[in-house]
Each structure stands twice: as structure tokens, then as C-alpha cells.
Amino acid sequence: MIPFLIRRLCQAVLVMFIISMIGFAIQGGLGDPVQQMLGPAATEAEATALRHSLGLDAPLWAQYLDFANDALHLDFGRSYFFHEPALSVIARYLPATLELVAASAVLTLLLSVPMGVFCAIRPRSWLSQTLMGLSVIGISVPVFLTAMVLIQVFSIGIQVTLFPADTGWGHWLNQLFSIEGGMPAYGRGNPVHVLGVWYTNFATLQGILYLLLPAFSLALVMLPLFVRLIHAEMLEVLESDYVKYARARGLRPSRIYFLHALKNTLLPVVTLGGVQIGTLVAYTLLTETVFQWPGAGLMFLDAIERADMPLIVAYLMVVGLLFVVINTLVDLLYRLLNPRITLSGRAA
Amino acid sequence: MALLEVDHLDIRFPLRHDEIRAVRDVSFALERGERLGIVGESGAGKSVLAFSLLKLLSRPGYIAGGRVRFEGRELTTLSDRQLRRIRGNRVAMIFQDPLTTLNPTLTIGRQMIESLKAHRRISERRARAIALHKLRQVQVSSPEQRFEQYPHQLSGGLCQRVVIAIALLLDPDIIIADEPTTALDVTIQAEIIALLTQLCGKHNVGLIVISHDLCVIGQLTQRLLVMYAGRIVEQGPTREIINDAQHPYTQGLINALPQMTLPRQRLAQIPGNMPSLARVPDGCAFHPRCRYRFTPQGRLRQACVERVPEAVSSGGSRVACHWVRELITTVPIEEEAI
């Protein structure tokens, strides 16, 4: 356990080092800040003086060390737009994103496991075939399209006027196929403070309502993939000797499916899931834009538009760190599910 | 009434165009406490037969005809729920590879306790006590420690002992063992064989052992079925069949065994391969490989090619062979055919 953690820590440091290099390169690669700060009328002497005072005349490695030192002290400079430390801006926006990601991860899990398992144990039912068909479509449709369709259907609503409205039955049929909509699809609503520090949508029914559409549309990115993965894995596991043996021992089908088979099915799902949580964070850029969800993704896009360099670099570093932390947690979780893996890396 | 009676069992696997008949017209009986062996090459239908007894056939296999009676009760028509009360409880199974049989993500103890709880209303503590007792019976060292371990932490031999312990957990009437020693190395094989014989004798458990290994079968069983291409070609007391096989196929199998006492020479083999179950030859399925399909005069025996031989009694066993029938009755089969 301990050696594993130490090794993971070393890997994390290495990954963060590489990310910081990228961040540093971006920061240095966007024109000459001195010229921007002084304007076109400045003399060469003024420019040299400023360059020296900002440390920009130092060699590149020294500048990087400077940058890394600041980063280690959680100092990424002040945002040009917000006029406050970049990290505190991110700290303000990130919780909304994390809440969105968490909600859609939970939705994905809650929906994909029963769907995948059902499709595997009842492969011939019409429901399974429909689900598997939809999952192919789901994989190929881009997230902003599904988001807009969701908004149209559940927020704006669909008014069907296909049938003659002046007859009783036509009116009734129109009503039947119309969808009222009305789901909130813009912003966060009114999140509430919990315990003084946590500003959240999870605490109130209205907050959850606001979360629902963005989270579901984000979940649709992963859901089809997970349904297909669980379905395929489960089919394979159901053919295994230990499932056959479990049947030969007279165990209940529910126990065979949901303990014996599912536990082995989930191993690759957990691995993929860990990587995909990172991908979900990336997809929040799109979802947050469509739903105007005030999270770090939306903030990041704004920062790019405003060329708010400290904010961009800080976002990059924070998301990088998030990836590393999540992947480490997934490896730990994997250990709990699969006793054949020991964390020292050797087979037991 | 025998404990288990199998009557004209017929098992098929429908494919897209034709149907594989994996088991044809198989009948046998098992008495309480009797040890029965089923031997044959790979693809002879042994395992399919074993799994069909508890209706555990994999898709798309199905029982197309015949009966399986356990204590006089018909099993082939029972629902899954009714069968579940018998599986693992009255009739237990042992699979071939102990390392893939046990679920890799659950501890030995968990898998033993769940087996008990599936069939008895029993407390966790009581179940644990029974399980540990059975582990001791199959001579697993430090059972308390094994109880908490996962299958991959145990050797193959140890795992098979655990599987035997699980089979004995609910004091079954029958244990069906499908190639129980094939995945083990030879020294462990002998131990497992000794253990199975001893425990089945002690608890008066009927044992059905499937194997392609005549040595294993010879040591383990009292009675023997020899299968070829889905049919039983010979059945009788194990000792008699091994000492004096009647069917040309059985003779071939026994001649192919390495002999320690004879000078070194090439092992005998049966020419050709067993036919695919989708294309079983007409007449006696063995005839293309059988040297007795020709009369001493060198003529082809038409019956071997045209008619499926019926079983006749010969030297203590029942043999399905036209040639053997001719030997006993001394009626040339060509004439009888008319």
C-alpha cells in the first residue's frame, strides 16, 4: 500500500512537472508583455528597465524556476479581468463544474449498470435491442446537439398541432404528443450555502432541478459507451466457468447476476470510468456553454476570449492536478474490487 | 429404483442450417453410493451429458428427448426454480479447472457460505462452522486462514479440494465431476482421486466422473460408460472393460495406453479422428476407423455402414457393435439383416 502510494506520488509529480512546462510555454508564447504594458511610445531604456524588473531578461530556465516556485506557492498571478489572484477565481468557479461532473457521473452509473446488465441477461427482448440501437446513435451524436435537443424538448417544450385542434379527438391527440417543457436550462438557479462554505445545488429541490438537464446532457456523453462496455463485459463473464459453477450450486439468479457476474464486469468499467471522469471535465466546456452553467469551463472559454493568461494557465494546472488525483483514486478503488491486484505491483 | 436413471437421452444444438446431435439415445443408471465413469475422446459428448443432467446446458443446447429421473422424479420438465433446489444441494458438481471455477473476486469462505445459505436457513456462524468442518474433511491445511483467502492465493490442487468441500457441503446424493483432475499435475491427481473415492464411500455419495483419462477412471470408478460420437458404445464393470474390452473402440483406447511392463515401442493409436458431431457417419459411427468393418474375407460388412448397432451383452458388459454381435451369435450379420 505505502510503496504504491509513494510510486503514484512520484508519477504525479512527473505529470505535474510536464503540465507546468506546458503552462509555462503558453504563458511565454503570447507576445511581449512589456510592449503591451508600456505602449508604443516607450523608449528602449524604459523597456529594458521594465524587462529587468519583471525578471524577463533572465535565462529561460531561471524564468521557469521562478514560475514553478510561484506555482508551488499557489501563485499564478492575478487575473487581468477579475483583478484578483487567478486561483481564487478558479476556486470560485470550480465547485459548480465539479458538481455538474459528479451529478452526471452518478447519473451515468445509475443508468448504465442496470441497462448494460439487462441487455446482457435478456439479449432478445425488444427493450435490449432498442437500448443497444440507441447506444450506437448516442455514441455518434455530439454533446452540443444532444444538449440543444434536450433544451428544445424539456425546456421549451414541443407543441404538436398535427391533428385538427377543433375536434375533440384531435385536440386530445395534440395534447397527448405535446411536451410542456419548463425544465430550467439556463444557469444555476439559486444555489444555497451549506455549512457556511459549500455553495451547492444539491441541497434544494430547485437546485437539483437546475442541475438535471446539464448533468443529463453531460451524462449522455458517457452513457452509451458505458452501456455497451458493461453489456459486452457482462456477456463474456456470463460465459465464464464461475458463473456456470454458481448456477450449478443452485444460487439465485439475482445473486449470480449482481454479485458474481457484476463484480467481475465492473473491473474494466472502473478503469475506463476513471479516465472518463477526466473527459467529462473536458466536456463541461461545451455543456456549460450551452446551458450557461457558471462553472470553470465557461470561465475558461471567457478567459481565452479575453486572453486572460494567468487564468488560462491556472485552469490548466488545476485540471491537470484533478486528473492525477482522480486516476490515483481509481487505482485504489480497483484494488478493492480486484483482489488479484496488489498495490505493490506484484501478483500475489 | 436406481438413484438416477437416464433414459434414451437425446441432446441437440441447433445451428443456423443443421443441428448437432451431441448426445444420442444414452441410457444408464446410477445406484446410491455407486461410482460411475464416463470415458471418451474430446467431443464425444461426455461433458454435454454431464451438464444436461441438471439442465445446465449452454445455449443453444436443449434436451430433445428422453428422461432423467432423480429418485423417481423427472428432472427434464422441472422449472428453473425447482431445479435450483436440487442443484448443489442434492446433486453437486465439480468442474475441470479449479482456478477458473471459483469466482476470483470472492473469498473462499464467502463462496462456501453462500452455497449453504442458498439451500438452508442457517446463521452465518453455523454456516462458517460447517464450511470449516468440510475443509478439514478434504484435508485443507489451516482452514481458518484459507477461509479468508481468494482463489488466486491457493494452488490448483488446494482449489480443487475447496471445490470438493463445496460439493460435499450440503451432503448431496450425487456428485458429478467433469474431468476433476485434468487441470492438475500427476502427483496431485492421485491425491484428489484418493480423496474423492474415500469421501464418496464414507458418505455413500453416488459419483459420476467424466474423463478422457482411462487411468483416472480405472482408479475411481466401479462401472464405466464408453462414449463415441454421442453414443454409448460399451458399458459394464470398470475392471472387466479395462481387462477385456469388447468394443473395437474401447480396445483401441486401452491399447493406446502406455505400458510400463512392455519393452519400449511406439504407442498404438486408433487411425483417423473422431468425426465432428455435425457429420457423424451413417451406421456405426466408428466404422470408418474400425478394422472389423471388413470380414476376414475382406468384404465390407454392410451392417456396419448402414445400421446403428444395438447393444448386446458380451462378457459382463453391454456392447454396441455388429462385429461383437456376430461373434456371440455366430449369425453372419448380413443374413440377419434381411
Side-chain angles (χ1 to χ4, degrees), chain B residues 135-150:
Chain B
L135 282 180
R136 266 179 224 112
Q137 265 191 359
V138 296
Q139 296 151 27
V140 166
S141 57
S142 49
E144 284 88 357
Q145 189 196 336
R146 303 290 176 221
F147 213 67
E148 309 302 331
Q149 286 181 320
Y150 289 94

Side-chain angles (χ1 to χ4, degrees), chain A:
Chain A
M1 184 81 186
I2 301 295
F4 166 79
L5 280 179
I6 290 173
R7 223 185 27 208
R8 271 328 284 254
L9 211 63
C10 294
Q11 286 172 358
V13 168
L14 186 71
V15 170
M16 288 315 291
F17 170 70
I18 293 170
I19 294 176
S20 73
M21 298 269 263
I22 296 172
F24 176 68
I26 291 177
Q27 197 177 35
L30 209 84
D32 185 1
V34 174
Q35 213 151 49
Q36 279 180 14
M37 289 165 88
L38 291 177
T43 65
E44 193 59 35
E46 279 174 323
T48 313
L50 184 62
R51 196 164 277 131
H52 182 74
S53 74
L54 288 174
L56 291 175
D57 55 349
L60 210 56
W61 62 266
Q63 286 189 45
Y64 172 74
L65 283 185
D66 227 28
F67 169 81
N69 187 38
D70 285 347
L72 281 179
H73 291 92
L74 302 179
D75 179 6
F76 294 95
R78 298 174 74 83
S79 158
Y80 301 155
F81 180 78
F82 292 97
H83 302 294
E84 58 180 309
L87 214 55
S88 48
V89 176
I90 288 179
R92 204 164 60 236
Y93 281 100
L94 197 62
T97 296
L98 292 184
E99 233 163 58
L100 185 58
V101 168
S104 66
V106 169
L107 268 179
T108 306
L109 200 69
L110 286 184
L111 293 174
S112 65
V113 170
M115 281 181 182
V117 170
F118 179 81
C119 289
I121 53 189
R122 296 266 180 280
R124 282 165 199 209
S125 106
W126 62 269
L127 185 57
S128 307
Q129 308 219 343
T130 314
L131 284 175
M132 294 315 290
L134 282 177
S135 72
V136 176
I137 300 173
I139 284 180
S140 28
V141 173
V143 60
F144 48 85
L145 185 62
T146 51
M148 288 190 291
V149 169
L150 284 176
I151 290 177
Q152 177 66 51
V153 173
F154 293 107
S155 188
I156 300 169
I158 295 175
Q159 196 63 47
V160 174
T161 51
L162 204 62
F163 305 100
D166 44 357
T167 62
W169 60 270
H171 183 71
W172 183 78
L173 278 178
N174 279 338
Q175 290 290 308
L176 187 70
F177 290 112
S178 292
I179 296 168
E180 198 172 323
M183 285 283 288
Y186 188 91
R188 250 186 123 176
N190 295 308
V192 292
H193 282 281
V194 175
L195 303 172
V197 285
W198 192 28
Y199 190 61
T200 179
N201 267 49
F202 286 130
T204 61
L205 197 64
Q206 193 238 15
I208 290 175
L209 213 59
Y210 268 83
L211 193 58
L212 218 51
L213 270 192
F216 187 63
S217 115
L218 190 57
L220 280 180
V221 177
M222 294 304 146
L223 189 61
L225 190 69
F226 272 69
V227 170
R228 293 197 76 83
L229 178 74
I230 292 172
H231 170 248
E233 283 297 325
M234 187 87 175
L235 277 184
E236 203 176 309
V237 169
L238 286 180
E239 290 296 311
S240 69
D241 272 0
Y242 52 82
V243 167
K244 216 171 181 189
Y245 183 57
R247 285 173 64 207
R249 283 190 286 151
L251 302 186
R252 297 174 153 281
S254 58
R255 193 174 174 91
I256 296 175
Y257 292 138
F258 292 101
L259 182 74
H260 284 260
L262 191 60
K263 205 171 172 193
N264 287 281
T265 300
L266 286 183
L267 294 178
V269 176
V270 168
T271 317
L272 186 76
V275 183
Q276 297 298 352
I277 284 184
T279 316
L280 278 184
V281 173
Y283 271 106
T284 55
L285 291 184
L286 296 172
T287 321
E288 288 181 3
T289 308
V290 177
F291 290 97
Q292 287 296 302
W293 186 260
L298 195 59
M299 178 219 75
F300 179 65
L301 284 184
D302 286 342
I304 289 177
E305 238 165 70
R306 299 174 186 130
D308 196 341
M309 199 45 65
L311 210 49
I312 295 174
V313 173
Y315 177 82
L316 191 73
M317 300 293 287
V318 169
V319 170
L321 188 67
L322 214 62
F323 263 71
V324 170
V325 169
I326 288 170
N327 277 325
T328 309
L329 288 179
V330 166
D331 281 357
L332 285 171
L333 183 64
Y334 198 75
R335 169 68 181 85
L336 288 181
L337 277 173
N338 188 354
R340 279 168 298 183
I341 306 288
T342 58
L343 289 179
S344 60
R346 292 185 304 262

